[in-house]
Amino acid sequence: MIDKSSTVHSLKIKRDEITAAIAHYEKALEQARADLSHITAAIAIFDAAGERMSVAPYMDLHRIFARGETIRLCKEALASGPMNTRQLAVYIIEAKGLDKTDRVLTKAVASRIIHAIRKQEQRGLIVRTTMVRGVCVWALPNAT
């Protein structure tokens, strides 16, 4: 006859060992991701040596947009119908009179939109209708 208490005790010990191993592997994975990020950045720097224009400049959008202006412009654009994040970025860049051919600017604005619009989505003020080729399509709640 098998002693249930010793079996359960052994299983609990094994469970704790596996949990500790997973925690160790997660920490090692986190460090590996950080190392990979640093190596990738170093490659980009050394690969672009001498090619000043190939290195993407840092975009600080905090001075370009007033508080709440990003979401106000998004809602203004969405009033005409659902739009994806890229379309919203182009709309906002044009509304601000900025260069819509600047890829770094467009990417930075899109990133800012994603953050702002997700907060609005949590509050129920904007809804995500679908995803098309990996890009979210957004709409005002009363328009869906």
Side-chain angles (χ1 to χ4, degrees), residues 103-139:
R103 297 174 83 192
V104 174
L105 176 64
T106 304
K107 192 171 185 176
V109 169
S111 178
R112 183 178 179 101
I113 289 170
I114 290 168
H115 176 73
I117 217 161
R118 285 196 175 146
K119 291 293 184 186
Q120 294 292 305
E121 180 185 28
Q122 289 173 347
R123 295 179 183 125
L125 301 173
I126 292 179
V127 295
R128 183 182 331 192
T129 59
T130 186
M131 285 192 72
V132 178
R133 288 184 267 151
V135 180
C136 294
V137 177
W138 305 97

PDB file of all heavy atoms in Angstrom, residues 103-139:
ATOM      1  N   ARG A 103      10.057  59.205 -41.558  1.00  0.00           N
ATOM      2  CA  ARG A 103       9.683  57.893 -41.015  1.00  0.00           C
ATOM      3  C   ARG A 103       9.891  57.812 -39.513  1.00  0.00           C
ATOM      4  O   ARG A 103       9.118  57.182 -38.807  1.00  0.00           O
ATOM      5  CB  ARG A 103      10.461  56.801 -41.729  1.00  0.00           C
ATOM      6  CG  ARG A 103      10.127  56.750 -43.219  1.00  0.00           C
ATOM      7  CD  ARG A 103      10.979  55.781 -43.959  1.00  0.00           C
ATOM      8  NE  ARG A 103      10.395  54.452 -43.807  1.00  0.00           N
ATOM      9  CZ  ARG A 103      11.019  53.339 -44.133  1.00  0.00           C
ATOM     10  NH1 ARG A 103      12.240  53.383 -44.614  1.00  0.00           N
ATOM     11  NH2 ARG A 103      10.433  52.175 -43.974  1.00  0.00           N
ATOM     12  N   VAL A 104      10.937  58.448 -39.002  1.00  0.00           N
ATOM     13  CA  VAL A 104      11.196  58.425 -37.565  1.00  0.00           C
ATOM     14  C   VAL A 104      10.085  59.169 -36.834  1.00  0.00           C
ATOM     15  O   VAL A 104       9.560  58.692 -35.820  1.00  0.00           O
ATOM     16  CB  VAL A 104      12.579  59.043 -37.245  1.00  0.00           C
ATOM     17  CG1 VAL A 104      12.790  59.170 -35.749  1.00  0.00           C
ATOM     18  CG2 VAL A 104      13.681  58.219 -37.879  1.00  0.00           C
ATOM     19  N   LEU A 105       9.692  60.312 -37.361  1.00  0.00           N
ATOM     20  CA  LEU A 105       8.614  61.089 -36.764  1.00  0.00           C
ATOM     21  C   LEU A 105       7.305  60.298 -36.794  1.00  0.00           C
ATOM     22  O   LEU A 105       6.587  60.230 -35.797  1.00  0.00           O
ATOM     23  CB  LEU A 105       8.434  62.418 -37.491  1.00  0.00           C
ATOM     24  CG  LEU A 105       7.269  63.284 -37.022  1.00  0.00           C
ATOM     25  CD1 LEU A 105       7.475  63.723 -35.583  1.00  0.00           C
ATOM     26  CD2 LEU A 105       7.096  64.479 -37.938  1.00  0.00           C
ATOM     27  N   THR A 106       7.004  59.684 -37.933  1.00  0.00           N
ATOM     28  CA  THR A 106       5.770  58.911 -38.063  1.00  0.00           C
ATOM     29  C   THR A 106       5.726  57.766 -37.060  1.00  0.00           C
ATOM     30  O   THR A 106       4.709  57.527 -36.413  1.00  0.00           O
ATOM     31  CB  THR A 106       5.619  58.367 -39.504  1.00  0.00           C
ATOM     32  OG1 THR A 106       5.680  59.463 -40.415  1.00  0.00           O
ATOM     33  CG2 THR A 106       4.313  57.635 -39.680  1.00  0.00           C
ATOM     34  N   LYS A 107       6.852  57.074 -36.913  1.00  0.00           N
ATOM     35  CA  LYS A 107       6.914  55.961 -35.963  1.00  0.00           C
ATOM     36  C   LYS A 107       6.761  56.460 -34.524  1.00  0.00           C
ATOM     37  O   LYS A 107       6.070  55.842 -33.716  1.00  0.00           O
ATOM     38  CB  LYS A 107       8.238  55.215 -36.139  1.00  0.00           C
ATOM     39  CG  LYS A 107       8.297  53.902 -35.437  1.00  0.00           C
ATOM     40  CD  LYS A 107       9.536  53.138 -35.830  1.00  0.00           C
ATOM     41  CE  LYS A 107       9.539  51.760 -35.205  1.00  0.00           C
ATOM     42  NZ  LYS A 107      10.667  50.951 -35.615  1.00  0.00           N
ATOM     43  N   ALA A 108       7.387  57.585 -34.206  1.00  0.00           N
ATOM     44  CA  ALA A 108       7.293  58.146 -32.859  1.00  0.00           C
ATOM     45  C   ALA A 108       5.866  58.599 -32.557  1.00  0.00           C
ATOM     46  O   ALA A 108       5.354  58.369 -31.453  1.00  0.00           O
ATOM     47  CB  ALA A 108       8.270  59.309 -32.701  1.00  0.00           C
ATOM     48  N   VAL A 109       5.218  59.222 -33.523  1.00  0.00           N
ATOM     49  CA  VAL A 109       3.837  59.672 -33.330  1.00  0.00           C
ATOM     50  C   VAL A 109       2.917  58.462 -33.174  1.00  0.00           C
ATOM     51  O   VAL A 109       2.038  58.443 -32.312  1.00  0.00           O
ATOM     52  CB  VAL A 109       3.377  60.589 -34.489  1.00  0.00           C
ATOM     53  CG1 VAL A 109       1.880  60.843 -34.428  1.00  0.00           C
ATOM     54  CG2 VAL A 109       4.139  61.908 -34.451  1.00  0.00           C
ATOM     55  N   ALA A 110       3.110  57.431 -33.995  1.00  0.00           N
ATOM     56  CA  ALA A 110       2.296  56.219 -33.888  1.00  0.00           C
ATOM     57  C   ALA A 110       2.456  55.582 -32.513  1.00  0.00           C
ATOM     58  O   ALA A 110       1.473  55.137 -31.908  1.00  0.00           O
ATOM     59  CB  ALA A 110       2.665  55.235 -34.994  1.00  0.00           C
ATOM     60  N   SER A 111       3.667  55.565 -31.999  1.00  0.00           N
ATOM     61  CA  SER A 111       3.911  55.006 -30.668  1.00  0.00           C
ATOM     62  C   SER A 111       3.181  55.812 -29.604  1.00  0.00           C
ATOM     63  O   SER A 111       2.579  55.250 -28.687  1.00  0.00           O
ATOM     64  CB  SER A 111       5.409  54.990 -30.391  1.00  0.00           C
ATOM     65  OG  SER A 111       5.669  54.495 -29.109  1.00  0.00           O
ATOM     66  N   ARG A 112       3.223  57.108 -29.737  1.00  0.00           N
ATOM     67  CA  ARG A 112       2.526  57.986 -28.792  1.00  0.00           C
ATOM     68  C   ARG A 112       1.010  57.768 -28.877  1.00  0.00           C
ATOM     69  O   ARG A 112       0.319  57.746 -27.867  1.00  0.00           O
ATOM     70  CB  ARG A 112       2.869  59.447 -29.088  1.00  0.00           C
ATOM     71  CG  ARG A 112       2.252  60.414 -28.120  1.00  0.00           C
ATOM     72  CD  ARG A 112       2.674  61.839 -28.456  1.00  0.00           C
ATOM     73  NE  ARG A 112       2.085  62.785 -27.562  1.00  0.00           N
ATOM     74  CZ  ARG A 112       2.703  63.340 -26.545  1.00  0.00           C
ATOM     75  NH1 ARG A 112       3.958  63.031 -26.292  1.00  0.00           N
ATOM     76  NH2 ARG A 112       2.092  64.209 -25.772  1.00  0.00           N
ATOM     77  N   ILE A 113       0.508  57.591 -30.091  1.00  0.00           N
ATOM     78  CA  ILE A 113      -0.926  57.358 -30.297  1.00  0.00           C
ATOM     79  C   ILE A 113      -1.346  56.066 -29.613  1.00  0.00           C
ATOM     80  O   ILE A 113      -2.372  56.019 -28.935  1.00  0.00           O
ATOM     81  CB  ILE A 113      -1.260  57.301 -31.805  1.00  0.00           C
ATOM     82  CG1 ILE A 113      -1.154  58.686 -32.418  1.00  0.00           C
ATOM     83  CG2 ILE A 113      -2.637  56.714 -32.045  1.00  0.00           C
ATOM     84  CD1 ILE A 113      -1.226  58.685 -33.926  1.00  0.00           C
ATOM     85  N   ILE A 114      -0.572  55.020 -29.813  1.00  0.00           N
ATOM     86  CA  ILE A 114      -0.918  53.716 -29.236  1.00  0.00           C
ATOM     87  C   ILE A 114      -1.065  53.831 -27.727  1.00  0.00           C
ATOM     88  O   ILE A 114      -2.035  53.340 -27.145  1.00  0.00           O
ATOM     89  CB  ILE A 114       0.128  52.651 -29.615  1.00  0.00           C
ATOM     90  CG1 ILE A 114       0.031  52.332 -31.105  1.00  0.00           C
ATOM     91  CG2 ILE A 114      -0.049  51.394 -28.780  1.00  0.00           C
ATOM     92  CD1 ILE A 114       1.191  51.527 -31.635  1.00  0.00           C
ATOM     93  N   HIS A 115      -0.125  54.493 -27.099  1.00  0.00           N
ATOM     94  CA  HIS A 115      -0.192  54.641 -25.639  1.00  0.00           C
ATOM     95  C   HIS A 115      -1.433  55.437 -25.232  1.00  0.00           C
ATOM     96  O   HIS A 115      -2.187  55.024 -24.345  1.00  0.00           O
ATOM     97  CB  HIS A 115       1.072  55.315 -25.115  1.00  0.00           C
ATOM     98  CG  HIS A 115       1.033  55.571 -23.652  1.00  0.00           C
ATOM     99  ND1 HIS A 115       1.165  54.566 -22.730  1.00  0.00           N
ATOM    100  CD2 HIS A 115       0.837  56.707 -22.945  1.00  0.00           C
ATOM    101  CE1 HIS A 115       1.067  55.081 -21.511  1.00  0.00           C
ATOM    102  NE2 HIS A 115       0.867  56.370 -21.618  1.00  0.00           N
ATOM    103  N   ALA A 116      -1.649  56.566 -25.872  1.00  0.00           N
ATOM    104  CA  ALA A 116      -2.769  57.437 -25.503  1.00  0.00           C
ATOM    105  C   ALA A 116      -4.117  56.778 -25.789  1.00  0.00           C
ATOM    106  O   ALA A 116      -5.050  56.860 -24.993  1.00  0.00           O
ATOM    107  CB  ALA A 116      -2.660  58.764 -26.257  1.00  0.00           C
ATOM    108  N   ILE A 117      -4.220  56.121 -26.933  1.00  0.00           N
ATOM    109  CA  ILE A 117      -5.504  55.555 -27.345  1.00  0.00           C
ATOM    110  C   ILE A 117      -5.869  54.333 -26.513  1.00  0.00           C
ATOM    111  O   ILE A 117      -7.049  54.072 -26.257  1.00  0.00           O
ATOM    112  CB  ILE A 117      -5.481  55.268 -28.858  1.00  0.00           C
ATOM    113  CG1 ILE A 117      -6.847  55.569 -29.443  1.00  0.00           C
ATOM    114  CG2 ILE A 117      -5.062  53.886 -29.186  1.00  0.00           C
ATOM    115  CD1 ILE A 117      -6.838  55.760 -30.930  1.00  0.00           C
ATOM    116  N   ARG A 118      -4.878  53.586 -26.057  1.00  0.00           N
ATOM    117  CA  ARG A 118      -5.173  52.430 -25.197  1.00  0.00           C
ATOM    118  C   ARG A 118      -5.727  52.881 -23.850  1.00  0.00           C
ATOM    119  O   ARG A 118      -6.569  52.220 -23.258  1.00  0.00           O
ATOM    120  CB  ARG A 118      -3.936  51.556 -25.023  1.00  0.00           C
ATOM    121  CG  ARG A 118      -3.679  50.746 -26.275  1.00  0.00           C
ATOM    122  CD  ARG A 118      -2.732  49.616 -26.050  1.00  0.00           C
ATOM    123  NE  ARG A 118      -2.632  48.814 -27.264  1.00  0.00           N
ATOM    124  CZ  ARG A 118      -1.540  48.216 -27.659  1.00  0.00           C
ATOM    125  NH1 ARG A 118      -0.449  48.309 -26.932  1.00  0.00           N
ATOM    126  NH2 ARG A 118      -1.527  47.510 -28.767  1.00  0.00           N
ATOM    127  N   LYS A 119      -5.240  54.002 -23.358  1.00  0.00           N
ATOM    128  CA  LYS A 119      -5.799  54.562 -22.128  1.00  0.00           C
ATOM    129  C   LYS A 119      -7.257  54.958 -22.353  1.00  0.00           C
ATOM    130  O   LYS A 119      -8.111  54.732 -21.501  1.00  0.00           O
ATOM    131  CB  LYS A 119      -4.992  55.782 -21.655  1.00  0.00           C
ATOM    132  CG  LYS A 119      -3.617  55.439 -21.150  1.00  0.00           C
ATOM    133  CD  LYS A 119      -3.736  54.644 -19.883  1.00  0.00           C
ATOM    134  CE  LYS A 119      -2.359  54.361 -19.308  1.00  0.00           C
ATOM    135  NZ  LYS A 119      -2.418  53.476 -18.169  1.00  0.00           N
ATOM    136  N   GLN A 120      -7.547  55.536 -23.510  1.00  0.00           N
ATOM    137  CA  GLN A 120      -8.923  55.906 -23.841  1.00  0.00           C
ATOM    138  C   GLN A 120      -9.790  54.657 -24.016  1.00  0.00           C
ATOM    139  O   GLN A 120     -10.966  54.657 -23.651  1.00  0.00           O
ATOM    140  CB  GLN A 120      -8.949  56.745 -25.127  1.00  0.00           C
ATOM    141  CG  GLN A 120      -8.273  58.090 -24.995  1.00  0.00           C
ATOM    142  CD  GLN A 120      -9.024  59.018 -24.068  1.00  0.00           C
ATOM    143  OE1 GLN A 120     -10.205  59.260 -24.262  1.00  0.00           O
ATOM    144  NE2 GLN A 120      -8.352  59.530 -23.049  1.00  0.00           N
ATOM    145  N   GLU A 121      -9.196  53.602 -24.543  1.00  0.00           N
ATOM    146  CA  GLU A 121      -9.920  52.335 -24.715  1.00  0.00           C
ATOM    147  C   GLU A 121     -10.302  51.757 -23.346  1.00  0.00           C
ATOM    148  O   GLU A 121     -11.412  51.262 -23.159  1.00  0.00           O
ATOM    149  CB  GLU A 121      -9.058  51.345 -25.490  1.00  0.00           C
ATOM    150  CG  GLU A 121      -9.725  50.002 -25.722  1.00  0.00           C
ATOM    151  CD  GLU A 121      -8.814  48.993 -26.396  1.00  0.00           C
ATOM    152  OE1 GLU A 121      -7.570  49.077 -26.233  1.00  0.00           O
ATOM    153  OE2 GLU A 121      -9.349  48.109 -27.073  1.00  0.00           O
ATOM    154  N   GLN A 122      -9.395  51.835 -22.382  1.00  0.00           N
ATOM    155  CA  GLN A 122      -9.684  51.344 -21.032  1.00  0.00           C
ATOM    156  C   GLN A 122     -10.844  52.101 -20.398  1.00  0.00           C
ATOM    157  O   GLN A 122     -11.618  51.541 -19.632  1.00  0.00           O
ATOM    158  CB  GLN A 122      -8.447  51.471 -20.143  1.00  0.00           C
ATOM    159  CG  GLN A 122      -7.342  50.508 -20.477  1.00  0.00           C
ATOM    160  CD  GLN A 122      -6.070  50.767 -19.681  1.00  0.00           C
ATOM    161  OE1 GLN A 122      -5.934  51.816 -19.040  1.00  0.00           O
ATOM    162  NE2 GLN A 122      -5.141  49.839 -19.725  1.00  0.00           N
ATOM    163  N   ARG A 123     -10.963  53.372 -20.757  1.00  0.00           N
ATOM    164  CA  ARG A 123     -12.046  54.204 -20.206  1.00  0.00           C
ATOM    165  C   ARG A 123     -13.337  54.078 -21.018  1.00  0.00           C
ATOM    166  O   ARG A 123     -14.344  54.681 -20.655  1.00  0.00           O
ATOM    167  CB  ARG A 123     -11.600  55.664 -20.185  1.00  0.00           C
ATOM    168  CG  ARG A 123     -10.444  55.922 -19.256  1.00  0.00           C
ATOM    169  CD  ARG A 123     -10.032  57.385 -19.285  1.00  0.00           C
ATOM    170  NE  ARG A 123      -8.880  57.589 -18.456  1.00  0.00           N
ATOM    171  CZ  ARG A 123      -7.751  58.148 -18.871  1.00  0.00           C
ATOM    172  NH1 ARG A 123      -7.629  58.582 -20.100  1.00  0.00           N
ATOM    173  NH2 ARG A 123      -6.731  58.290 -18.043  1.00  0.00           N
ATOM    174  N   GLY A 124     -13.280  53.360 -22.142  1.00  0.00           N
ATOM    175  CA  GLY A 124     -14.462  53.179 -22.978  1.00  0.00           C
ATOM    176  C   GLY A 124     -14.749  54.346 -23.897  1.00  0.00           C
ATOM    177  O   GLY A 124     -15.835  54.449 -24.464  1.00  0.00           O
ATOM    178  N   LEU A 125     -13.784  55.249 -24.072  1.00  0.00           N
ATOM    179  CA  LEU A 125     -13.994  56.433 -24.900  1.00  0.00           C
ATOM    180  C   LEU A 125     -13.627  56.205 -26.361  1.00  0.00           C
ATOM    181  O   LEU A 125     -14.033  56.970 -27.238  1.00  0.00           O
ATOM    182  CB  LEU A 125     -13.199  57.613 -24.329  1.00  0.00           C
ATOM    183  CG  LEU A 125     -13.565  57.974 -22.882  1.00  0.00           C
ATOM    184  CD1 LEU A 125     -12.614  59.025 -22.337  1.00  0.00           C
ATOM    185  CD2 LEU A 125     -15.009  58.433 -22.801  1.00  0.00           C
ATOM    186  N   ILE A 126     -12.831  55.177 -26.616  1.00  0.00           N
ATOM    187  CA  ILE A 126     -12.466  54.756 -27.967  1.00  0.00           C
ATOM    188  C   ILE A 126     -12.468  53.234 -27.955  1.00  0.00           C
ATOM    189  O   ILE A 126     -12.106  52.618 -26.961  1.00  0.00           O
ATOM    190  CB  ILE A 126     -11.089  55.315 -28.386  1.00  0.00           C
ATOM    191  CG1 ILE A 126     -11.164  56.828 -28.543  1.00  0.00           C
ATOM    192  CG2 ILE A 126     -10.592  54.668 -29.672  1.00  0.00           C
ATOM    193  CD1 ILE A 126      -9.868  57.507 -28.932  1.00  0.00           C
ATOM    194  N   VAL A 127     -12.895  52.624 -29.075  1.00  0.00           N
ATOM    195  CA  VAL A 127     -12.940  51.165 -29.148  1.00  0.00           C
ATOM    196  C   VAL A 127     -12.051  50.658 -30.273  1.00  0.00           C
ATOM    197  O   VAL A 127     -11.866  51.319 -31.288  1.00  0.00           O
ATOM    198  CB  VAL A 127     -14.385  50.642 -29.341  1.00  0.00           C
ATOM    199  CG1 VAL A 127     -15.235  50.956 -28.146  1.00  0.00           C
ATOM    200  CG2 VAL A 127     -15.005  51.200 -30.600  1.00  0.00           C
ATOM    201  N   ARG A 128     -11.503  49.476 -30.049  1.00  0.00           N
ATOM    202  CA  ARG A 128     -10.709  48.793 -31.075  1.00  0.00           C
ATOM    203  C   ARG A 128     -11.690  47.910 -31.841  1.00  0.00           C
ATOM    204  O   ARG A 128     -12.291  47.002 -31.276  1.00  0.00           O
ATOM    205  CB  ARG A 128      -9.625  47.949 -30.418  1.00  0.00           C
ATOM    206  CG  ARG A 128      -8.715  47.279 -31.390  1.00  0.00           C
ATOM    207  CD  ARG A 128      -7.691  46.406 -30.728  1.00  0.00           C
ATOM    208  NE  ARG A 128      -7.335  46.855 -29.382  1.00  0.00           N
ATOM    209  CZ  ARG A 128      -6.304  46.393 -28.707  1.00  0.00           C
ATOM    210  NH1 ARG A 128      -5.540  45.468 -29.214  1.00  0.00           N
ATOM    211  NH2 ARG A 128      -6.043  46.827 -27.496  1.00  0.00           N
ATOM    212  N   THR A 129     -11.852  48.167 -33.126  1.00  0.00           N
ATOM    213  CA  THR A 129     -12.842  47.414 -33.890  1.00  0.00           C
ATOM    214  C   THR A 129     -12.276  46.110 -34.426  1.00  0.00           C
ATOM    215  O   THR A 129     -12.940  45.091 -34.387  1.00  0.00           O
ATOM    216  CB  THR A 129     -13.387  48.247 -35.063  1.00  0.00           C
ATOM    217  OG1 THR A 129     -12.310  48.614 -35.920  1.00  0.00           O
ATOM    218  CG2 THR A 129     -14.091  49.492 -34.555  1.00  0.00           C
ATOM    219  N   THR A 130     -11.046  46.149 -34.917  1.00  0.00           N
ATOM    220  CA  THR A 130     -10.427  44.961 -35.504  1.00  0.00           C
ATOM    221  C   THR A 130      -8.931  45.206 -35.665  1.00  0.00           C
ATOM    222  O   THR A 130      -8.431  46.272 -35.321  1.00  0.00           O
ATOM    223  CB  THR A 130     -11.070  44.625 -36.873  1.00  0.00           C
ATOM    224  OG1 THR A 130     -10.547  43.395 -37.342  1.00  0.00           O
ATOM    225  CG2 THR A 130     -10.820  45.704 -37.894  1.00  0.00           C
ATOM    226  N   MET A 131      -8.240  44.213 -36.213  1.00  0.00           N
ATOM    227  CA  MET A 131      -6.826  44.373 -36.576  1.00  0.00           C
ATOM    228  C   MET A 131      -6.687  43.978 -38.034  1.00  0.00           C
ATOM    229  O   MET A 131      -7.209  42.953 -38.452  1.00  0.00           O
ATOM    230  CB  MET A 131      -5.930  43.509 -35.702  1.00  0.00           C
ATOM    231  CG  MET A 131      -5.755  44.063 -34.316  1.00  0.00           C
ATOM    232  SD  MET A 131      -4.445  43.267 -33.385  1.00  0.00           S
ATOM    233  CE  MET A 131      -2.988  43.881 -34.168  1.00  0.00           C
ATOM    234  N   VAL A 132      -6.006  44.811 -38.791  1.00  0.00           N
ATOM    235  CA  VAL A 132      -5.760  44.540 -40.200  1.00  0.00           C
ATOM    236  C   VAL A 132      -4.259  44.522 -40.416  1.00  0.00           C
ATOM    237  O   VAL A 132      -3.589  45.529 -40.205  1.00  0.00           O
ATOM    238  CB  VAL A 132      -6.428  45.603 -41.099  1.00  0.00           C
ATOM    239  CG1 VAL A 132      -6.129  45.332 -42.561  1.00  0.00           C
ATOM    240  CG2 VAL A 132      -7.920  45.664 -40.848  1.00  0.00           C
ATOM    241  N   ARG A 133      -3.730  43.364 -40.800  1.00  0.00           N
ATOM    242  CA  ARG A 133      -2.287  43.179 -41.018  1.00  0.00           C
ATOM    243  C   ARG A 133      -1.454  43.693 -39.845  1.00  0.00           C
ATOM    244  O   ARG A 133      -0.468  44.400 -40.016  1.00  0.00           O
ATOM    245  CB  ARG A 133      -1.853  43.830 -42.326  1.00  0.00           C
ATOM    246  CG  ARG A 133      -2.341  43.065 -43.540  1.00  0.00           C
ATOM    247  CD  ARG A 133      -1.844  43.644 -44.824  1.00  0.00           C
ATOM    248  NE  ARG A 133      -2.881  44.574 -45.283  1.00  0.00           N
ATOM    249  CZ  ARG A 133      -2.638  45.642 -46.010  1.00  0.00           C
ATOM    250  NH1 ARG A 133      -1.442  45.935 -46.379  1.00  0.00           N
ATOM    251  NH2 ARG A 133      -3.618  46.436 -46.372  1.00  0.00           N
ATOM    252  N   GLY A 134      -1.875  43.341 -38.640  1.00  0.00           N
ATOM    253  CA  GLY A 134      -1.113  43.677 -37.444  1.00  0.00           C
ATOM    254  C   GLY A 134      -1.286  45.100 -36.950  1.00  0.00           C
ATOM    255  O   GLY A 134      -0.589  45.520 -36.038  1.00  0.00           O
ATOM    256  N   VAL A 135      -2.209  45.855 -37.532  1.00  0.00           N
ATOM    257  CA  VAL A 135      -2.429  47.237 -37.127  1.00  0.00           C
ATOM    258  C   VAL A 135      -3.857  47.365 -36.599  1.00  0.00           C
ATOM    259  O   VAL A 135      -4.809  46.938 -37.253  1.00  0.00           O
ATOM    260  CB  VAL A 135      -2.209  48.210 -38.314  1.00  0.00           C
ATOM    261  CG1 VAL A 135      -2.428  49.643 -37.882  1.00  0.00           C
ATOM    262  CG2 VAL A 135      -0.814  48.048 -38.884  1.00  0.00           C
ATOM    263  N   CYS A 136      -3.997  47.954 -35.423  1.00  0.00           N
ATOM    264  CA  CYS A 136      -5.317  48.124 -34.812  1.00  0.00           C
ATOM    265  C   CYS A 136      -6.132  49.158 -35.572  1.00  0.00           C
ATOM    266  O   CYS A 136      -5.599  50.179 -36.006  1.00  0.00           O
ATOM    267  CB  CYS A 136      -5.187  48.585 -33.365  1.00  0.00           C
ATOM    268  SG  CYS A 136      -4.435  47.358 -32.296  1.00  0.00           S
ATOM    269  N   VAL A 137      -7.423  48.885 -35.696  1.00  0.00           N
ATOM    270  CA  VAL A 137      -8.363  49.851 -36.278  1.00  0.00           C
ATOM    271  C   VAL A 137      -9.214  50.369 -35.132  1.00  0.00           C
ATOM    272  O   VAL A 137      -9.782  49.593 -34.357  1.00  0.00           O
ATOM    273  CB  VAL A 137      -9.238  49.189 -37.374  1.00  0.00           C
ATOM    274  CG1 VAL A 137     -10.244  50.204 -37.913  1.00  0.00           C
ATOM    275  CG2 VAL A 137      -8.380  48.646 -38.498  1.00  0.00           C
ATOM    276  N   TRP A 138      -9.296  51.697 -35.008  1.00  0.00           N
ATOM    277  CA  TRP A 138      -9.957  52.338 -33.885  1.00  0.00           C
ATOM    278  C   TRP A 138     -11.194  53.081 -34.350  1.00  0.00           C
ATOM    279  O   TRP A 138     -11.273  53.516 -35.502  1.00  0.00           O
ATOM    280  CB  TRP A 138      -9.001  53.324 -33.210  1.00  0.00           C
ATOM    281  CG  TRP A 138      -7.724  52.717 -32.792  1.00  0.00           C
ATOM    282  CD1 TRP A 138      -6.535  52.739 -33.479  1.00  0.00           C
ATOM    283  CD2 TRP A 138      -7.460  51.965 -31.611  1.00  0.00           C
ATOM    284  NE1 TRP A 138      -5.567  52.069 -32.785  1.00  0.00           N
ATOM    285  CE2 TRP A 138      -6.107  51.573 -31.638  1.00  0.00           C
ATOM    286  CE3 TRP A 138      -8.242  51.587 -30.525  1.00  0.00           C
ATOM    287  CZ2 TRP A 138      -5.531  50.827 -30.628  1.00  0.00           C
ATOM    288  CZ3 TRP A 138      -7.655  50.855 -29.518  1.00  0.00           C
ATOM    289  CH2 TRP A 138      -6.319  50.488 -29.570  1.00  0.00           C
ATOM    290  N   ALA A 139     -12.160  53.265 -33.450  1.00  0.00           N
ATOM    291  CA  ALA A 139     -13.373  54.019 -33.746  1.00  0.00           C
ATOM    292  C   ALA A 139     -13.902  54.626 -32.461  1.00  0.00           C
ATOM    293  O   ALA A 139     -13.558  54.205 -31.360  1.00  0.00           O
ATOM    294  CB  ALA A 139     -14.426  53.104 -34.366  1.00  0.00           C
TER     295      ALA A 139
END
